Amino acid sequence: DIADINRVINTAFAGQTAGQVYEGERHFDLVVRLAGDKRKDLKDVQNLLIPGPDGLQIPLSQVASVSIKDGPNQIQREDAKRRIVVGFNARGRDVQSIVHELQEKANTQIHYSPGYYATYGGAFENLNAATERLIIAVPIALFLIFILLYFAFNSVKQGLLIYSAIPLSAIGGIFFLALRGMPFSISAGVGFIALFGIAVLNGIVLIAEFNRLKKEGMKDKKRIVLMGTKVRLRPVLMTAFVASLGFLPMALSNGAGAEVQRPLATVVIGGLMIATFLTLFVLPTLYILFESNRPKKQTLKGGVSLLTILILCSLSFQNVQAQTPISLEAAIDTAIKNNLLIKNEKLKDAYQQKLQGSAVTIPATSVFGEVGQINSFYTDTKFGLSQTINFPTVYARQKSLLKEEYVSSGISVNVKIAELKKEVSQIFNYLTYLKEKQKLLLHVDSIYRAFLARANLRFEKGESNILEKAMAENQQGQIAIQLKELEQDISIEQLHFQLALNSSNVLVPAEHRLKLDGGGLDFLSPKQNVNIQLLQQQKQIAFASTRLQQSKLLPDLIFGYNNASIRGTGADDKYYTASKRFHSVQIGVGIPIFNGAQKSVIGAGKINESIANNNYLLGLQNLEASQNAALKEYQKYLETLNWFDKSGLKSAETIQSGATTQFTLGEINYLDWVVLMNQGVATQSQYLEVIKNLNDAIIQINYLNNK
């Protein structure tokens, strides 16, 4: 057998464990393999003796061809597909233009076999992701700058005048990037955001000085501009040069991180130099052109309307929330941290911990006093106190019960965490499945859109009848309806995901492997399952509660002290006045003679013990049934998935590509093409459904294993 030959080869050249060697308390594996001089070259493999079933040994070269062949050094997989990575470093050009050129050449010069496709990642993928963030961050930064300018000068006109420094600074940043031969990058984009904030400072300095001179009574706008620029020339230059000189070491750096520092510093330095020069000439000119000599009057109506617009704009920016991708592990951690049910369970656990201090509860102390003819005709006084306590066994068992309830509350926290992990994993898996199905439908939608366009063209040219066009419209319409329904399902499930995580940020599942890791599916001992532990703890609580009620049949202990005066002649024939006090101590027991009610409570407690024990046994049965069902579900869907990976998906791709080729060549009609395409799409959709069901089975197994 091939397996027997492989085992012999593996033992001879790699080594196999044949037993163990013990030296005192230590033990080591005994490994069998050929000596080093017998496994050096190809002939050693060819001459390796293979034992047959009858004991005869023959060389491996007699039953196999042994030679050296070139092959892949590693087969990588991602998303249940084989993956080959071709990597290169960009030098002297920006990443985006290189990838765009590569895409154009690859699309025209490389023809992939069915099922093969190319994706572009690495720095290019990071660039696209960061660009999407900048599309949101830059408008928000510009809007906030304008809002602050408006509140600083209480004027839209002057705010826009100062805002002119932003395009002037952008000119300088772009010019210096081109001058140094640097492409636009994410660090340059961040530099532009910093540049815009610094550039408006020069405008603020000038406009504030112009307004001060105007407020002092100066009327001539040209004189205001000349005087203000003269007075504020030094602060304007200082603002620009301090920032520029601070970024100069970054602009000239060549060490680690220089590729990030140089574009950012170049943008800031170039933008400030050009913006400062232009601001000293352009901003005063614009001030002369647009600033009015009339005193500024603001009506309540205008102010309120502008304030309303600003509030609405700010609210609209608040509603725009970037969706943040999150991994499954991070989603579970976030849910455990934020979920209110978990917080309540932890508070209950803290409550039970505090409650343990109430195990020894002493009843109130009785204090009494008497005045009157207690012993004789004379008026005497008497006072005393008494204290009743339970038998010490009651306090010990009450403490034991509180301790068991505290342990139960801690297990309840673990139960809620396990349930939350399962819930988040299921929602995460379902959302991932819906998005993968959306990708499939979008791909199918593009195919049927092309089919519809072709059908319309054929109908217009008279090459087909109305039936083909109607069929194309019907197929494309059905896909569109399915996509809309799928979008609604994704929105609904996204709300469930947000509720489970209880986060203010909009979190979406990150791209990850479609199939979850199914390793370590061996079930733990039932005693290690948190639900079984909780049922076991309920048994302990019921037992401790019954023991506590039984201890209440023990007698209570009574202690008392009395102090009284006895006026008159005592038994010893002596006369005692009111100043003489007599003392006595009282010790007694409270015997529960009428204990029928307490015995009923004890009987009910024993019934509760039986109920808790039955619940525990039922929990064990349910756990065993759930484990068997989950394992069978996993094995069923794993076998189905293996079939899809080996032949199902390949057959679907072959059917689709072959149908498209034959339809293009006119070998089949459009009805056959639609049937074959739908059959391939159904297979791909079933593949996604099987992965989802397999992941659900893995999630259930992990839940039963407290993972």
Side-chain angles (χ1 to χ4, degrees):
D1 291 338
I2 295 177
D4 295 337
I5 295 177
N6 284 335
R7 183 163 54 252
V8 173
I9 295 173
N10 189 35
T11 302
F13 293 93
Q16 288 290 336
T17 301
Q20 289 187 330
V21 178
Y22 289 85
E23 292 183 2
E25 295 182 354
R26 298 183 299 172
H27 58 88
F28 309 93
D29 288 338
L30 178 62
V31 179
V32 176
R33 64 183 174 188
L34 286 177
D37 57 346
K38 299 296 183 181
R39 47 189 176 91
K40 288 184 177 180
D41 52 25
L42 188 62
K43 291 184 178 180
D44 294 330
V45 184
Q46 295 173 341
N47 297 330
L48 180 66
L49 296 179
I50 305 297
D54 55 355
L56 180 65
Q57 294 185 339
I58 58 175
L60 178 61
S61 58
Q62 297 296 321
V63 295
S65 175
V66 182
S67 60
I68 298 176
K69 298 289 185 180
D70 291 334
N73 63 340
Q74 184 180 10
I75 298 177
Q76 298 178 338
R77 286 181 172 85
E78 182 178 357
D79 195 14
K81 302 173 184 177
R82 289 188 178 184
R83 177 172 66 99
I84 299 176
V85 178
V86 179
F88 62 92
N89 295 325
R91 181 177 299 170
R93 287 183 58 184
D94 62 291
V95 175
Q96 189 170 14
S97 65
I98 290 178
V99 174
H100 286 169
E101 181 181 351
L102 179 60
Q103 288 175 333
E104 293 177 359
K105 293 183 178 180
N107 293 335
T108 57
Q109 300 178 17
I110 300 178
H111 301 284
Y112 295 106
S113 301
Y116 288 82
Y117 59 91
T119 58
Y120 300 86
F124 177 72
E125 185 178 7
N126 296 334
L127 175 66
N128 290 336
T131 302
E132 292 177 359
R133 297 293 180 89
L134 285 178
I135 291 175
I136 299 175
V138 172
I140 292 177
L142 295 176
F143 177 76
L144 292 178
I145 290 173
F146 177 75
I147 293 297
L148 294 175
L149 290 176
Y150 171 76
F151 286 133
F153 294 97
N154 202 21
S155 171
V156 176
K157 184 186 298 184
Q158 292 188 352
L160 292 175
L161 286 176
I162 300 174
Y163 217 65
S164 64
I166 291 179
L168 297 179
S169 62
I171 294 172
I174 296 172
F175 176 73
F176 267 65
L177 281 177
L179 189 64
R180 299 192 66 185
M182 295 181 178
F184 178 80
S185 61
I186 299 304
S187 59
V190 176
F192 275 109
I193 296 177
L195 172 64
F196 295 157
I198 302 174
V200 298
L201 294 178
N202 291 336
I204 293 174
V205 171
L206 287 178
I207 295 298
E209 181 63 20
F210 295 163
N211 290 340
R212 186 187 68 81
L213 294 175
K214 186 176 180 179
K215 187 176 181 180
E216 290 179 355
M218 191 174 294
K219 303 296 183 182
D220 188 2
K221 290 187 289 185
K222 293 184 179 180
R223 182 167 178 80
I224 290 174
V225 166
L226 291 174
M227 290 297 296
T229 306
K230 179 181 179 181
V231 172
R232 291 300 180 186
L233 177 61
R234 183 177 297 174
V236 168
L237 295 178
M238 287 293 293
T239 301
F241 280 108
V242 167
S244 299
L245 293 175
F247 279 95
L248 188 60
M250 294 174 59
L252 301 177
S253 64
N254 292 308
E259 66 279 359
V260 177
Q261 299 176 7
R262 284 200 302 268
L264 190 151
T266 300
V267 167
V268 174
I269 294 174
L272 285 179
M273 292 179 62
I274 301 298
T276 302
F277 178 75
L278 295 178
T279 300
L280 291 173
F281 293 93
V282 176
L283 185 60
T285 304
L286 294 177
Y287 184 85
I288 294 174
L289 292 176
F290 295 105
E291 186 65 21
S292 174
N293 286 326
R294 293 177 297 177
K296 181 168 59 177
K297 295 181 180 180
Q298 290 185 342
T299 62
L300 180 62
K301 181 178 179 181
V304 172
S305 62
L306 179 60
L307 183 60
T308 303
I309 293 173
L310 295 177
I311 292 175
L312 291 176
C313 291
S314 63
L315 289 176
S316 65
F317 273 104
Q318 290 177 359
N319 291 331
V320 178
Q321 296 184 4
Q323 293 183 343
T324 304
I326 188 172
S327 63
L328 177 58
E329 293 76 12
I332 292 175
D333 293 340
T334 302
I336 294 175
K337 179 181 178 182
N338 298 336
N339 191 269
L340 295 179
L341 288 176
I342 302 298
K343 291 182 179 180
N344 280 343
E345 290 298 326
K346 290 182 178 180
L347 289 175
K348 291 178 183 178
D349 185 55
Y351 168 77
Q352 291 294 339
Q353 185 180 14
K354 288 289 185 182
L355 205 60
Q356 290 189 87
S358 65
V360 181
T361 305
I362 306 298
T365 303
S366 299
V367 180
F368 66 89
E370 298 182 31
V371 177
Q373 297 173 340
I374 301 173
N375 301 302
S376 63
F377 175 77
Y378 298 105
T379 300
D380 290 320
T381 60
K382 182 180 181 182
F383 67 87
L385 55 88
S386 64
Q387 178 65 58
T388 301
I389 62 172
N390 298 119
F391 203 79
T393 305
V394 176
Y395 297 121
R397 293 184 178 179
Q398 187 161 336
K399 184 176 182 180
S400 176
L401 174 61
L402 291 174
K403 181 179 179 181
E404 298 295 343
E405 290 177 344
Y406 170 61
V407 174
S408 176
S409 64
I411 299 175
S412 297
V413 174
N414 296 332
V415 170
K416 292 297 182 183
I417 290 176
E419 293 175 351
L420 184 61
K421 286 181 179 180
K422 177 182 176 182
E423 179 186 1
V424 172
S425 299
Q426 288 176 335
I427 297 175
F428 192 97
N429 177 42
Y430 189 51
L431 266 176
T432 304
Y433 160 72
L434 291 177
K435 291 187 176 181
E436 290 295 325
K437 193 171 182 180
Q438 186 182 43
K439 292 179 182 178
L440 175 61
L441 288 180
L442 288 173
H443 174 65
V444 177
D445 181 67
S446 63
I447 294 176
Y448 280 113
R449 284 183 183 274
F451 174 54
L452 177 59
R454 181 175 179 178
N456 289 330
L457 181 61
R458 284 166 54 85
F459 180 74
E460 293 175 359
K461 301 298 183 180
E463 297 180 1
S464 65
N465 53 25
I466 190 66
L467 185 60
E468 180 179 348
K469 179 182 177 183
M471 173 69 76
E473 291 176 347
N474 181 54
Q475 291 293 326
Q476 201 276 326
Q478 289 182 5
I479 296 298
I481 292 174
Q482 293 180 29
L483 278 172
K484 289 181 180 179
E485 293 177 350
L486 195 60
E487 289 176 359
Q488 294 296 327
D489 292 340
I490 291 175
S491 300
I492 294 172
E493 203 63 23
Q494 183 64 46
L495 292 176
H496 293 163
F497 190 61
Q498 204 69 21
L499 180 62
L501 268 60
N502 193 25
S503 173
S504 57
N505 299 326
V506 180
L507 303 174
V508 296
E511 294 291 338
H512 75 302
R513 293 177 300 173
L514 189 58
K515 177 181 174 297
L516 296 179
D517 184 13
L521 296 180
D522 294 335
F523 290 106
L524 302 175
S525 170
K527 294 183 179 180
Q528 294 178 289
N529 184 273
V530 289
N531 292 289
I532 300 301
Q533 291 176 356
L534 184 61
L535 293 175
Q536 176 68 27
Q537 193 59 31
Q538 294 299 326
K539 286 178 55 180
Q540 298 295 332
I541 292 175
F543 177 70
S545 177
T546 303
R547 293 187 66 211
L548 174 62
Q549 298 301 328
Q550 289 174 340
S551 66
K552 290 183 179 180
L553 292 176
L554 297 173
D556 294 337
L557 302 180
I558 304 172
F559 302 94
Y561 169 77
N562 298 310
N563 187 300
S565 64
I566 303 177
R567 296 178 60 186
T569 303
D572 55 355
D573 294 330
K574 292 184 179 179
Y575 181 80
Y576 296 97
T577 63
S579 60
K580 182 64 177 177
R581 310 296 298 179
F582 295 89
H583 310 274
S584 65
V585 177
Q586 178 185 4
I587 299 176
V589 293
I591 301 175
I593 298 176
F594 304 101
N595 54 14
Q598 186 62 28
K599 289 183 177 180
S600 297
V601 174
I602 295 172
K606 292 182 177 179
I607 295 175
N608 191 38
E609 286 186 51
S610 300
I611 293 174
N613 185 60
N614 290 337
N615 289 335
Y616 174 73
L617 297 177
L618 181 61
L620 289 176
Q621 294 176 1
N622 291 335
L623 176 62
E624 183 179 1
S626 299
Q627 288 176 343
N628 293 332
L631 190 58
K632 289 181 179 179
E633 287 282 317
Y634 172 77
Q635 293 172 349
K636 176 181 69 174
Y637 290 118
L638 184 61
E639 291 178 0
T640 307
L641 183 64
N642 290 334
W643 177 82
F644 274 106
D645 289 335
K646 291 179 180 178
S647 60
L649 288 180
K650 295 179 181 178
S651 299
E653 293 174 357
T654 302
I655 291 173
Q656 290 179 329
S657 60
T660 302
T661 302
Q662 293 184 11
F663 180 63
T664 303
L665 298 176
E667 297 177 1
I668 60 174
N669 58 27
Y670 65 91
L671 292 175
D672 295 333
W673 180 82
V674 170
V675 171
L676 293 173
M677 290 299 297
N678 288 341
Q679 182 180 353
V681 172
T683 302
Q684 294 170 337
S685 180
Q686 291 172 3
Y687 172 71
L688 296 178
E689 186 77 23
V690 168
I691 291 181
K692 171 189 169 297
N693 294 334
L694 179 66
N695 289 342
D696 286 337
I698 293 175
I699 292 171
Q700 177 67 12
I701 292 174
N702 289 337
Y703 168 69
L704 297 176
N705 279 340
N706 300 336
K707 290 185 180 179

